[in-house]
Amino acid sequence: MSMKLPEIPYAMQKNKSEIVSMRGINFSDILQDGDLADSKNLSARRYPYITTRRAREKQPGYTGCTALTAWDKLIAVCGTDLLYDGNVVGQVTAGEKQFVVVNTKLVIWPDKKYLDLKTLQLKPLAQDASGTGAEFETNSITIAWPGVDLTELFSEGDGIKITGCTAQTLNNKDIVIKGITANTITVTDDTFTAASEPGTITFDRVVPDMDFICESENRLWGCSSETQTLYASALGDPTNFNVFQGLSTDSYALAVGSEGAFTGCCRLSSSILFWKQNKLHKMLGSYPAEYSLYTYDIEGLRTGCHKSLQVINEVLFYMGLHGIYAYSGGTPSLVSANFGEKEFTDAIAGNDGDSYYLSVRDGDSYRLMIYETRSSIWVHEDDIRCVQFARLGKGMYFADAAGDVYLADNGEDDPDIEWFAQFTPFYETIQGRKVYSKMLLRTELPKGSYLIAEARQDGMAWREVGRIAGSKTDVVSMRIPLTRCDKFEIRLSGKGPCAILSILREFGIGSEV
């Protein structure tokens, strides 16, 4: 009696898998082939390839910079100097700033000053004058204060507060200037009660204390956590918040009753967004009589991350309590699921019209992360800390923690750049250990650059498996030897420009032990 034995295959069946495109940073547990566990000095600008970032260019003439913006030219605060295109145009307080342009006025906050962008003169937003004695008529005030020229302090249309009247206290009120000379203010008829005031009288053009500011429809907007109030300046005039005449050009104020402190504000399309950590107040309308406020319970802006607010192609990106969100008017979408359980804080961002530059604190260190909006890919540039970004045309500038200013991408490759890319583990979706017969890495590596490849299988120690130097050919290939394993990891590093194009691997299925 004969027994039929199982057939033994002559050779293992080959299975081939190719990564067509590289992917970005992924700190989460949901991994795909081509994800990066960590990296340095990489860019996704050539997606589906991953390349080294381009060179940065340090800008001369900036030392100790703590704030940065741009409006035709770079504008910076270095110490107490306000610099426009590298030239000192005035003095401000040292430290961080918020900048907003209304009409031709660059507002500098919290200093309550503005730079006239036509004359490059630095002036105060708020203004006051006081002196002894004043003559009140029903439609005018006349003073004789030594050294005071009212036309140098106030203008027609200013809303000012008058205090100090004792002979006729009803004259202590808010008024709007209809006409002004060196010593006379004219107002609407029957505004005052005629009186001669002997004491000290004060005229005050008040600008409210606000935590965060932005611009929308040629007005300066802001919010105050202390008073839980939203403010808007008069149309085209960030110096006036106390003009209420029933006109479309009036200033505006509205108290809100929601819980918590404001965390930031910004403009998105025709709306003004006032953020808290768990709430959004959205203001719609074109003028005070039309303004309407809507409140939403959505993932808000994280405290201390107001500088993460950036609009790219009418999509707002910002840091919330659970990561980076994209908001275009509906429900915010999380775009940083790849960060996993990483707890980033102190977010400061900028954009070049395409990429979202994000500087964040990661424990005791910092990371500069870039989100490529077209490919939805995150990359890690390096551990530089940025304090503020500014966009000038296509150029993205930033000030670092040392106070130096850089152009983030000068359009040239950096021949001395050092980089690395560690891929997340590669698994095959087939049970059993695999025998890899071929692993082929394809790169663009110009002459002068070099690349070192390391590998490890099943958590063992890293070992160098190859190195190549750049050549004049367009594509350089490297064969990476691997042993029998369930998973493997690849780490690439090098110096000089490089583009990682693809990885081709070929394997056979072995036993489960």
Side-chain angles (χ1 to χ4, degrees):
M1 183 176 179
S2 63
M3 180 181 297
K4 190 173 182 179
L5 297 175
E7 182 179 352
I8 299 176
Y10 177 75
M12 292 185 296
Q13 183 180 0
K14 295 291 178 66
N15 296 273
K16 188 166 64 176
S17 177
E18 181 178 9
I19 299 176
V20 177
S21 62
M22 302 292 100
R23 300 181 60 83
I25 283 288
N26 193 343
F27 300 131
S28 76
D29 296 324
I30 304 174
L31 305 176
Q32 299 183 56
D33 285 348
D35 284 343
L36 297 174
D38 202 0
S39 66
K40 183 178 180 180
N41 285 330
L42 296 187
S43 168
R45 69 180 185 275
R46 288 184 58 191
Y47 181 82
Y49 307 143
I50 292 292
T51 70
T52 48
R53 67 167 175 82
R54 292 198 179 107
R56 293 171 184 160
E57 185 176 315
K58 187 176 179 180
Q59 304 300 293
Y62 296 91
T63 303
C65 180
T66 58
L68 189 69
T69 191
W71 192 267
D72 291 333
K73 304 291 183 181
L74 275 184
I75 302 167
V77 174
C78 297
T80 59
D81 291 336
L82 178 66
L83 275 65
Y84 181 88
D85 196 24
N87 300 310
V88 178
V89 292
Q91 298 297 308
V92 295
T93 59
E96 296 183 5
K97 305 296 177 192
Q98 296 178 59
F99 299 101
V100 166
V101 174
V102 179
N103 207 341
T104 59
K105 299 176 175 64
L106 173 73
V107 176
I108 303 162
W109 204 265
D111 294 59
K112 293 188 180 181
K113 292 184 178 182
Y114 71 89
L115 177 68
D116 189 312
L117 294 169
K118 287 187 174 180
T119 65
L120 296 185
Q121 291 182 318
L122 188 64
K123 300 179 181 180
L125 289 172
Q127 189 62 270
D128 64 83
S130 61
T132 303
E135 293 296 327
F136 283 78
E137 301 295 336
T138 58
N139 68 338
S140 66
I141 315 167
T142 302
I143 64 168
W145 300 342
V148 175
D149 183 342
L150 293 176
T151 60
E152 295 178 352
L153 304 173
F154 305 105
S155 301
E156 183 177 327
D158 281 357
I160 64 173
K161 180 183 291 291
I162 300 173
T163 57
C165 296
T166 57
Q168 184 51 260
T169 58
L170 291 177
N171 288 336
N172 293 316
K173 58 175 60 178
D174 298 329
I175 59 101
V176 176
I177 298 174
K178 296 299 183 181
I180 189 167
T181 67
N183 65 344
T184 301
I185 291 175
T186 304
V187 296
T188 304
D189 289 343
D190 300 323
T191 297
F192 299 120
T193 302
S196 179
E197 291 289 346
T200 300
I201 307 299
T202 299
F203 304 148
D204 197 355
R205 189 179 69 218
V206 179
V207 174
D209 294 327
M210 298 181 286
D211 300 311
F212 305 102
I213 62 170
C214 68
E215 181 275 340
S216 179
E217 301 294 333
N218 207 22
R219 297 178 190 267
L220 176 63
W221 287 83
C223 53
S224 168
S225 294
E226 182 178 356
T227 63
Q228 287 291 299
T229 302
L230 314 179
Y231 298 96
S233 73
L235 182 65
D237 186 359
T239 68
N240 272 292
F241 285 81
N242 202 25
V243 177
F244 303 104
Q245 302 181 96
L247 303 176
S248 63
T249 57
D250 280 357
S251 48
Y252 181 79
L254 177 67
V256 298
S258 59
E259 179 185 7
F262 288 103
T263 54
C265 69
C266 66
R267 178 186 61 84
L268 179 62
S269 189
S270 59
S271 62
I272 308 99
L273 308 180
F274 298 94
W275 293 94
K276 295 186 176 183
Q277 283 203 139
N278 299 298
K279 205 170 292 291
L280 168 64
H281 293 292
K282 178 188 289 189
M283 183 71 73
L284 298 175
S286 301
Y287 53 90
E290 191 185 58
Y291 288 147
S292 297
L293 186 69
Y294 300 86
T295 301
Y296 302 89
D297 292 317
I298 61 175
E299 179 75 6
L301 176 68
R302 186 171 188 149
T303 299
C305 297
H306 60 281
K307 290 184 180 179
S308 70
L309 294 162
Q310 292 292 316
V311 177
I312 304 175
N313 295 323
E314 290 303 310
V315 177
L316 173 67
F317 295 87
Y318 67 94
M319 172 167 276
L321 289 173
H322 297 91
I324 306 301
Y325 289 84
Y327 175 79
S328 56
T331 302
S333 301
L334 185 69
V335 297
S336 62
N338 283 7
F339 290 173
E341 295 185 350
K342 281 280 189 182
E343 188 73 12
F344 293 144
T345 59
D346 301 351
I348 295 173
N351 81 85
D352 60 5
D354 182 38
S355 303
Y356 180 65
Y357 286 69
L358 180 69
S359 176
V360 291
R361 184 173 182 174
D362 182 11
D364 293 329
S365 61
Y366 289 84
R367 290 178 180 265
L368 178 57
M369 309 290 294
I370 312 298
Y371 182 67
E372 299 291 349
T373 59
R374 288 180 294 177
S375 59
S376 300
I377 294 292
W378 285 98
V379 293
H380 173 218
E381 283 208 350
D382 58 10
D383 299 334
I384 195 168
R385 179 187 177 187
C386 305
V387 298
Q388 199 151 14
F389 292 87
R391 178 186 174 187
L392 196 58
K394 292 177 63 176
M396 173 54 54
Y397 295 80
F398 66 84
D400 68 5
D404 296 321
V405 175
Y406 292 86
L407 175 61
D409 180 350
N410 71 357
E412 303 291 335
D413 287 327
D414 184 352
D416 298 317
I417 194 168
E418 296 183 356
W419 60 272
F420 79 89
Q422 180 178 331
F423 291 91
T424 57
F426 291 89
Y427 295 87
E428 304 304 337
T429 57
I430 301 174
Q431 191 174 11
R433 293 177 181 271
K434 276 67 68 177
V435 177
Y436 289 88
S437 60
K438 183 167 65 176
M439 181 85 178
L440 191 65
L441 171 70
R442 297 177 66 250
T443 67
E444 288 180 2
L445 201 65
K447 189 174 183 180
S449 301
Y450 68 82
L451 180 151
I452 299 172
E454 299 173 279
R456 66 176 177 183
Q457 290 86 21
D458 297 332
M460 299 174 66
W462 288 98
R463 60 187 179 90
E464 184 177 321
V465 293
R467 62 173 63 202
I468 50 176
S471 66
K472 293 183 179 179
T473 58
D474 291 336
V475 178
V476 180
S477 298
M478 172 190 285
R479 186 181 295 271
I480 299 176
L482 296 169
T483 59
R484 187 183 187 205
C485 63
D486 178 60
K487 69 175 182 179
F488 69 92
E489 296 169 80
I490 298 294
R491 184 167 64 193
L492 307 176
S493 60
K495 184 176 182 179
C498 176
I500 306 170
L501 306 181
S502 66
I503 296 175
L504 175 70
R505 63 199 192 278
E506 195 173 81
F507 62 91
I509 305 170
S511 65
E512 297 184 20
V513 294

